[in-house]
Amino acid sequence: MNGTATPLFSVVIPTFNHANYLGRALQSVLDQTYTNWEVIVIDNHSTDNTDEVMFSFANPNITYKKILNNGVIAESRNVGIKAAKGEWIAFLDSDDWW
């Protein structure tokens, strides 16, 4: 977060078995020129290699949480919102990029 204690933006990324897309989504946030952000990835206990993708992004501004949302993506987003520290919240689906 470039030395600041509180991020201005919290990016919430819900995911489930999107390991093949998630890396691109995360990299698209890292590629932004603005740096006062945090990312919160909420994983619905994926059974693919999502864990490996997440661990390949060793960045203190990225948080990884696992929940069981029973297929209700809104629950994942709500968990991300509750964990967010930023003043603004941005949603990024795990199969999209900026």
Side-chain angles (χ1 to χ4, degrees):
M1 281 177 278
N2 209 16
T4 59
T6 303
L8 184 60
F9 290 96
S10 296
V11 181
V12 176
I13 304 177
T15 193
F16 176 68
N17 285 344
H18 275 176
N20 53 332
Y21 305 112
L22 182 58
R24 186 174 187 178
L26 288 168
Q27 190 61 52
S28 76
V29 176
L30 291 168
D31 289 344
Q32 301 301 307
T33 57
Y34 188 79
T35 59
N36 190 14
W37 52 262
E38 68 174 343
V39 170
I40 306 159
V41 176
I42 309 297
D43 180 18
N44 184 22
H45 283 272
S46 295
T47 57
D48 61 3
N49 65 326
T50 295
D51 286 341
E52 293 172 30
V53 171
M54 287 306 304
F55 296 133
S56 72
F57 285 88
N59 185 309
N61 295 347
I62 299 175
T63 302
Y64 183 42
K65 295 182 172 285
K66 288 187 173 223
I67 69 164
L68 289 172
N69 71 11
N70 299 316
V72 181
I73 196 168
E75 189 171 332
S76 292
R77 288 190 177 113
N78 287 337
V79 168
I81 291 168
K82 289 176 186 171
K85 298 177 190 125
E87 184 175 339
W88 297 95
I89 296 187
F91 296 107
L92 177 61
D93 289 338
S94 57
D95 60 349
D96 289 335
W97 63 91
W98 289 342

